[in-house]
Protein backbone atom coordinates (compact mmCIF):
# COMPACT_ATOMS: atom_id res chain seq x y z
CA UNK A 1 0.00 0.00 0.00
CA UNK A 2 1.38 3.41 -0.96
CA UNK A 3 1.43 5.71 2.08
CA UNK A 4 0.64 9.43 2.29
CA UNK A 5 3.82 11.52 2.30
CA UNK A 6 4.59 15.07 3.41
CA UNK A 7 7.84 16.42 1.98
CA UNK A 8 10.21 19.09 3.24
CA UNK A 9 13.22 20.56 1.46
CA UNK A 10 14.22 20.34 -2.19
CA UNK A 11 17.91 19.42 -2.17
CA UNK A 12 20.24 17.04 -0.40
CA UNK A 13 20.17 13.35 0.35
CA UNK A 14 16.75 11.75 1.01
CA UNK A 15 15.58 11.07 4.57
CA UNK A 16 12.34 9.26 5.43
CA UNK A 17 10.91 9.74 8.94
CA UNK A 18 8.24 7.55 10.54
CA UNK A 19 6.09 8.06 13.62
CA UNK A 20 5.14 5.73 16.46
CA UNK A 21 1.85 4.34 17.70
CA UNK A 22 -1.05 6.86 17.65
CA UNK A 23 1.21 9.32 15.83
CA UNK A 24 1.40 10.62 12.29
CA UNK A 25 3.88 12.25 9.99
CA UNK A 26 2.88 15.59 11.54
CA UNK A 27 4.74 14.59 14.73
CA UNK A 28 7.97 15.00 12.77
CA UNK A 29 7.14 18.41 11.30
CA UNK A 30 9.48 20.53 13.45
CA UNK A 31 12.40 18.10 13.18
CA UNK A 32 11.79 17.65 9.44
CA UNK A 33 11.87 21.39 8.82
CA UNK A 34 15.20 21.61 10.61
CA UNK A 35 16.63 18.69 8.65
CA UNK A 36 15.34 20.16 5.38
CA UNK A 37 18.20 22.67 5.35
CA UNK A 38 20.46 19.88 4.08
CA UNK A 39 18.14 17.02 3.13
CA UNK A 40 14.98 16.15 1.26
CA UNK A 41 12.77 14.86 4.08
CA UNK A 42 9.68 12.69 3.61
CA UNK A 43 7.32 12.08 6.54
CA UNK A 44 5.14 8.98 6.14
CA UNK A 45 1.75 8.21 7.70
CA UNK A 46 1.86 4.48 8.47
CA UNK A 47 -1.21 2.36 7.77
CA UNK A 48 -4.29 3.09 9.88
CA UNK A 49 -2.65 6.30 11.17
CA UNK A 50 -2.81 9.92 10.04
CA UNK A 51 -4.29 10.27 6.57
CA UNK A 52 -3.45 6.69 5.54
CA UNK A 53 -6.26 4.40 4.39
CA UNK A 54 -8.04 2.32 7.01
CA UNK A 55 -7.34 -1.35 6.35
CA UNK A 56 -8.26 -4.50 8.26
CA UNK A 57 -4.80 -5.72 9.25
CA UNK A 58 -1.65 -4.19 10.67
CA UNK A 59 1.53 -6.23 11.07
CA UNK A 60 5.19 -5.29 10.80
CA UNK A 61 5.69 -7.26 7.56
CA UNK A 62 2.74 -5.39 6.04
CA UNK A 63 4.02 -2.03 7.25
CA UNK A 64 7.55 -2.76 5.98
CA UNK A 65 6.11 -3.66 2.57
CA UNK A 66 4.14 -0.38 2.59
CA UNK A 67 7.33 1.55 3.33
CA UNK A 68 9.27 -0.20 0.57
CA UNK A 69 6.51 0.48 -1.97
CA UNK A 70 6.27 4.14 -0.94
CA UNK A 71 10.04 4.72 -1.08
CA UNK A 72 10.18 3.12 -4.52
CA UNK A 73 7.25 5.26 -5.70
CA UNK A 74 9.12 8.42 -4.68
CA UNK A 75 12.03 7.50 -6.94
CA UNK A 76 14.59 8.94 -4.52
CA UNK A 77 16.08 5.84 -2.88
CA UNK A 78 17.96 4.42 -1.26
CA UNK A 79 17.14 6.61 1.73
CA UNK A 80 18.18 7.25 5.28
CA UNK A 81 15.27 5.60 7.11
CA UNK A 82 14.43 7.06 10.53
CA UNK A 83 11.69 5.60 12.73
CA UNK A 84 10.49 6.16 16.29
CA UNK A 85 9.05 3.34 18.46
CA UNK A 86 6.57 1.43 16.27
CA UNK A 87 8.03 3.33 13.34
CA UNK A 88 11.46 2.24 14.51
CA UNK A 89 10.48 -1.41 14.44
CA UNK A 90 8.96 -0.88 11.01
CA UNK A 91 12.20 0.77 9.88
CA UNK A 92 14.26 -2.15 11.24
CA UNK A 93 12.23 -4.76 9.41
CA UNK A 94 12.25 -2.68 6.21
CA UNK A 95 16.06 -2.55 6.33
CA UNK A 96 16.30 -6.28 7.05
CA UNK A 97 13.86 -7.37 4.33
CA UNK A 98 14.45 -4.65 1.71
CA UNK A 99 18.02 -3.39 2.17
CA UNK A 100 18.06 -2.10 -1.40
CA UNK A 101 15.88 0.87 -0.39
CA UNK A 102 17.72 1.72 2.86
CA UNK A 103 21.08 3.48 2.58
CA UNK A 104 21.33 3.93 6.36
CA UNK A 105 19.06 3.23 9.33
CA UNK A 106 18.16 5.26 12.43
CA UNK A 107 16.04 3.70 15.17
CA UNK A 108 14.67 6.04 17.85
CA UNK A 109 13.97 4.46 21.25
CA UNK A 110 13.05 0.96 20.14
CA UNK A 111 14.79 -2.42 19.99
CA UNK A 112 14.12 -5.61 17.99
CA UNK A 113 12.56 -7.32 21.01
CA UNK A 114 9.13 -8.09 22.41
CA UNK A 115 7.85 -5.56 24.93
CA UNK A 116 5.05 -6.08 27.45
CA UNK A 117 1.72 -5.09 25.87
CA UNK A 118 1.19 -1.36 26.32
CA UNK A 119 -1.23 1.37 25.30
CA UNK A 120 -4.27 -0.94 25.37
CA UNK A 121 -5.91 1.38 27.89
CA UNK A 122 -5.25 4.35 25.62
CA UNK A 123 -6.88 2.70 22.63
CA UNK A 124 -9.89 1.61 24.67
CA UNK A 125 -10.32 5.04 26.26
CA UNK A 126 -10.22 6.75 22.88
CA UNK A 127 -12.62 4.25 21.34
CA UNK A 128 -15.04 4.48 24.28
CA UNK A 129 -15.12 8.27 24.41
CA UNK A 130 -18.56 9.67 23.64
CA UNK A 131 -18.05 11.99 20.68
CA UNK A 132 -21.73 12.38 19.81
CA UNK A 133 -22.15 15.95 21.06
CA UNK A 134 -18.56 17.12 21.43
CA UNK A 135 -17.86 20.71 20.40
CA UNK A 136 -14.48 21.28 22.04
CA UNK A 137 -11.29 19.24 22.43
CA UNK A 138 -11.37 19.85 26.20
CA UNK A 139 -14.56 17.77 26.46
CA UNK A 140 -12.75 14.71 25.10
CA UNK A 141 -9.68 15.46 27.20
CA UNK A 142 -11.88 15.23 30.31
CA UNK A 143 -13.16 11.80 29.21
CA UNK A 144 -9.61 10.46 28.88
CA UNK A 145 -8.32 11.59 32.28
CA UNK A 146 -8.90 8.33 34.18
CA UNK A 147 -7.18 6.10 31.61
CA UNK A 148 -4.53 8.66 30.58
CA UNK A 149 -3.61 10.73 33.65
CA UNK A 150 -0.58 12.50 32.14
CA UNK A 151 -1.62 15.77 30.43
CA UNK A 152 1.17 15.60 27.86
CA UNK A 153 0.15 12.10 26.78
CA UNK A 154 -3.49 13.16 26.47
CA UNK A 155 -2.44 16.14 24.37
CA UNK A 156 -0.49 13.76 22.10
CA UNK A 157 -3.49 11.44 21.71
CA UNK A 158 -5.85 14.36 21.11
CA UNK A 159 -3.84 15.34 18.04
CA UNK A 160 -5.75 12.43 16.48
CA UNK A 161 -9.15 14.06 17.09
CA UNK A 162 -10.89 15.66 14.11
CA UNK A 163 -13.36 18.43 14.94
CA UNK A 164 -15.17 19.91 11.94
CA UNK A 165 -18.62 20.63 10.56
CA UNK A 166 -19.39 16.91 10.58
CA UNK A 167 -18.71 16.63 14.32
CA UNK A 168 -15.94 14.85 16.22
CA UNK A 169 -14.18 11.65 15.21
CA UNK A 170 -10.84 9.93 15.54
CA UNK A 171 -8.43 9.93 12.61
CA UNK A 172 -6.74 6.51 13.31
CA UNK A 173 -8.42 3.15 12.78
CA UNK A 174 -8.75 2.44 16.50
CA UNK A 175 -10.42 -1.01 16.41
CA UNK A 176 -7.74 -2.46 14.12
CA UNK A 177 -4.92 -0.78 16.05
CA UNK A 178 -6.25 -2.16 19.35
CA UNK A 179 -6.49 -5.67 17.87
CA UNK A 180 -2.93 -5.36 16.52
CA UNK A 181 -1.34 -4.17 19.77
CA UNK A 182 0.04 -7.59 20.79
CA UNK A 183 1.82 -7.87 17.42
CA UNK A 184 2.99 -4.25 17.58
CA UNK A 185 4.43 -4.81 21.06
CA UNK A 186 6.24 -7.89 19.73
CA UNK A 187 8.89 -8.50 17.10
CA UNK A 188 8.04 -10.41 13.90
CA UNK A 189 9.21 -13.97 13.29
CA UNK A 190 9.95 -12.93 9.69
CA UNK A 191 13.10 -11.14 10.93
CA UNK A 192 14.76 -14.35 12.12
CA UNK A 193 18.13 -14.97 10.50
CA UNK A 194 18.22 -11.64 8.64
CA UNK A 195 20.84 -8.91 8.98
CA UNK A 196 21.33 -5.43 7.63
CA UNK A 197 24.94 -4.46 6.98
CA UNK A 198 24.44 -0.75 6.36
CA UNK A 199 25.30 2.06 8.80
CA UNK A 200 22.89 1.94 11.74
CA UNK A 201 22.30 4.34 14.63
CA UNK A 202 20.15 3.68 17.69
CA UNK A 203 19.19 6.91 19.48
CA UNK A 204 17.57 6.37 22.86
CA UNK A 205 16.33 8.41 25.80
CA UNK A 206 18.29 8.21 29.02
CA UNK A 207 15.03 8.28 30.98
CA UNK A 208 13.45 5.53 28.86
CA UNK A 209 13.82 1.77 29.29
CA UNK A 210 13.02 0.78 25.70
CA UNK A 211 16.67 0.23 24.71
CA UNK A 212 18.50 -1.64 27.45
CA UNK A 213 22.04 -2.90 27.79
CA UNK A 214 20.90 -6.51 27.53
CA UNK A 215 19.26 -5.76 24.16
CA UNK A 216 22.58 -4.91 22.55
CA UNK A 217 23.65 -8.43 21.61
CA UNK A 218 20.34 -8.96 19.83
CA UNK A 219 20.66 -5.59 18.10
CA UNK A 220 24.19 -6.34 16.94
CA UNK A 221 23.13 -9.71 15.50
CA UNK A 222 20.68 -7.94 13.18
CA UNK A 223 22.69 -4.74 12.68
CA UNK A 224 26.44 -5.42 12.94
CA UNK A 225 27.39 -1.82 12.01
CA UNK A 226 25.40 -0.38 14.92
CA UNK A 227 26.29 2.80 16.79
CA UNK A 228 24.47 4.21 19.84
CA UNK A 229 23.62 7.73 20.96
CA UNK A 230 21.97 8.48 24.29
CA UNK A 231 19.96 11.65 24.87
CA UNK A 232 20.27 11.73 28.67
CA UNK A 233 17.38 14.06 29.53
CA UNK A 234 14.84 12.48 27.16
CA UNK A 235 12.21 9.86 27.78
CA UNK A 236 10.57 7.73 25.09
CA UNK A 237 9.53 10.62 22.78
CA UNK A 238 13.14 11.67 22.24
CA UNK A 239 12.69 13.95 19.22
CA UNK A 240 9.74 15.73 20.82
CA UNK A 241 11.21 16.12 24.30
CA UNK A 242 14.80 17.13 23.45
CA UNK A 243 14.83 18.18 19.80
CA UNK A 244 18.16 20.01 19.81
CA UNK A 245 19.94 17.11 21.52
CA UNK A 246 18.24 14.64 19.20
CA UNK A 247 19.33 16.53 16.09
CA UNK A 248 22.84 16.85 17.48
CA UNK A 249 23.01 13.03 17.55
CA UNK A 250 21.22 12.48 14.24
CA UNK A 251 22.64 15.12 11.90
CA UNK A 252 26.29 13.95 11.78
CA UNK A 253 25.15 10.40 11.08
CA UNK A 254 23.07 11.56 8.11
CA UNK A 255 26.12 13.29 6.68
Amino acid sequence: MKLPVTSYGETGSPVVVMHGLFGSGRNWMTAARRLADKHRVFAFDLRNHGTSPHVDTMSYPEMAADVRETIESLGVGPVALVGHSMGGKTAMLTALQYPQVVERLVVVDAAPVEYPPAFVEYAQAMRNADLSSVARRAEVDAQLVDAVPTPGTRAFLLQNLILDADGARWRPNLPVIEAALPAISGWPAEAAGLRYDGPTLFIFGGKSDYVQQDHRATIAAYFPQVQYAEVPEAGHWVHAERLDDFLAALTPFLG
Side-chain angles (χ1 to χ4, degrees):
M1 180 174 74
K2 185 178 173 183
L3 302 170
V5 180
T6 304
S7 59
Y8 305 83
E10 297 180 357
T11 60
S13 59
V15 178
V16 168
V17 293
M18 300 193 299
H19 60 84
L21 189 66
F22 298 124
S24 71
R26 294 173 57 196
N27 299 143
W28 280 96
M29 180 168 58
T30 304
R33 285 174 171 167
R34 295 270 295 273
L35 291 169
D37 287 345
K38 295 182 179 178
H39 301 277
R40 294 179 67 191
V41 184
F42 304 92
F44 289 4
D45 284 350
L46 298 177
R47 62 169 53 201
N48 291 317
H49 287 72
T51 57
S52 273
H54 286 195
V55 291
D56 292 337
T57 56
M58 189 173 167
S59 67
Y60 283 118
E62 290 171 317
M63 289 191 282
D66 295 343
V67 171
R68 175 199 57 77
E69 179 180 342
T70 307
I71 291 172
E72 290 179 344
S73 75
L74 291 171
V76 298
V79 304
L81 188 58
V82 183
H84 170 247
S85 196
M86 178 189 76
K89 284 188 169 181
T90 302
M92 284 187 268
L93 190 63
T94 303
L96 290 168
Q97 291 191 312
Y98 311 109
Q100 71 275 13
V101 302
V102 183
E103 190 269 332
R104 58 189 55 226
L105 172 67
V106 181
V107 180
V108 185
D109 217 60
V113 299
E114 181 173 350
Y115 294 110
F119 304 114
V120 175
E121 296 86 353
Y122 296 176
Q124 292 175 343
M126 294 165 73
R127 201 156 56 84
N128 291 333
D130 182 0
L131 305 182
S132 57
S133 58
V134 163
R136 296 182 302 117
R137 202 167 297 269
E139 297 169 46
V140 183
D141 182 80
Q143 294 188 57
L144 299 180
V145 167
D146 289 343
V148 191
T150 306
T153 305
R154 289 200 307 278
F156 168 72
L157 296 176
L158 286 167
Q159 292 178 17
N160 292 292
L161 184 68
I162 299 172
L163 275 172
D164 58 19
D166 295 324
R169 61 195 181 279
W170 295 109
R171 185 175 281 111
N173 188 350
L174 291 175
V176 171
I177 292 173
E178 184 178 341
L181 282 173
I184 291 169
S185 299
W187 176 242
E190 288 83 354
L194 300 178
R195 59 183 261 172
Y196 172 71
D197 289 314
T200 302
L201 176 64
F202 276 65
I203 303 176
F204 61 98
K207 295 181 177 179
S208 171
D209 59 1
Y210 275 71
V211 180
Q212 301 178 13
Q213 191 68 35
D214 61 6
H215 294 156
R216 294 200 177 195
T218 300
I219 292 170
Y222 288 116
F223 308 105
Q225 302 301 318
V226 66
Q227 307 170 42
Y228 295 94
E230 179 181 356
V231 179
E233 296 304 312
H236 181 53
W237 283 275
V238 185
H239 56 298
E241 297 174 30
R242 306 291 295 191
L243 178 60
D244 288 345
D245 295 338
F246 171 75
L247 290 174
L250 173 64
T251 303
F253 180 78
L254 296 178

